[in-house]
Amino acid sequence: MTITDPIADYLTCVRNATRARKKRVDIPASRLKRDITRILKRNRLIEDYAIIDDGKSGLIRVLLKYTPDGDSVIEGIQRISRPGLRKYVSKDAIPRVRNNVGLAIISTSQGLMTGARARKLGIGGEVLCYIW
């Protein structure tokens, strides 16, 4: 039996593309991946993204963002909750990533959001990943 983790695959594609200094990366689409990409765009961690229809589930084309020196804006990505070990937090235990420089992406009852927004709304949930 094989357990797949599409969120880990998404994060690995982005991590590998930034390390290889690629301008863009195409990732198979899902609603959850679209929401994560939307959060990355809103927090200025990627340049832009586009949803491409390929006749199946679609693709997300992510345009990566770099500093003028050529360094990636995304320094690190870490998957927290995984299929074999889920990590849930209450509203009082929402983590602060890299002293509030990074962000935690949390799946809540009101949808996917950053840890700062979940803290402001006073809701907890499943911590999917850290990005800094």
Side-chain angles (χ1 to χ4, degrees), residues 44-96:
R44 299 183 189 137
L45 293 171
I46 60 173
E47 199 66 46
D48 203 2
Y49 69 95
I51 307 299
I52 299 169
D53 184 23
D54 66 349
K56 300 175 190 170
S57 64
L59 292 172
I60 302 171
R61 178 163 288 163
V62 179
L63 301 175
L64 301 170
K65 189 173 185 177
Y66 296 93
T67 64
D69 297 334
D71 297 328
S72 174
V73 172
I74 298 174
E75 292 180 21
I77 298 175
Q78 182 181 5
R79 178 79 158 114
I80 303 302
S81 188
R82 49 193 172 89
L85 181 63
R86 301 289 184 182
K87 299 283 185 175
Y88 295 96
V89 294
S90 66
K91 64 178 183 175
D92 301 321
I94 295 174
R96 297 179 191 276

Side-chain angles (χ1 to χ4, degrees), residues 1-121:
M1 184 169 110
T2 305
I3 297 176
T4 59
D5 188 0
I7 298 170
D9 293 342
Y10 171 88
L11 297 174
T12 299
C13 285
V14 172
R15 182 185 310 113
N16 290 343
T18 58
R19 287 183 180 169
R21 305 232 189 280
K22 300 283 186 185
K23 292 185 179 191
R24 65 179 170 92
V25 62
D26 291 341
I27 302 165
S30 71
R31 194 188 89 221
L32 186 61
K33 292 177 190 176
R34 286 185 193 117
D35 290 344
I36 293 172
T37 306
R38 182 179 40 81
I39 289 172
L40 293 178
K41 169 72 173 155
R42 189 180 313 135
N43 288 280
R44 299 183 189 137
L45 293 171
I46 60 173
E47 199 66 46
D48 203 2
Y49 69 95
I51 307 299
I52 299 169
D53 184 23
D54 66 349
K56 300 175 190 170
S57 64
L59 292 172
I60 302 171
R61 178 163 288 163
V62 179
L63 301 175
L64 301 170
K65 189 173 185 177
Y66 296 93
T67 64
D69 297 334
D71 297 328
S72 174
V73 172
I74 298 174
E75 292 180 21
I77 298 175
Q78 182 181 5
R79 178 79 158 114
I80 303 302
S81 188
R82 49 193 172 89
L85 181 63
R86 301 289 184 182
K87 299 283 185 175
Y88 295 96
V89 294
S90 66
K91 64 178 183 175
D92 301 321
I94 295 174
R96 297 179 191 276
V97 180
R98 298 277 172 132
N99 207 13
N100 284 339
V101 173
L103 60 104
I105 296 180
I106 299 179
S107 177
T108 69
S109 60
Q110 296 182 13
L112 219 58
M113 62 184 69
T114 63
R117 181 151 187 241
R119 200 175 300 112
K120 183 185 287 186
L121 294 175

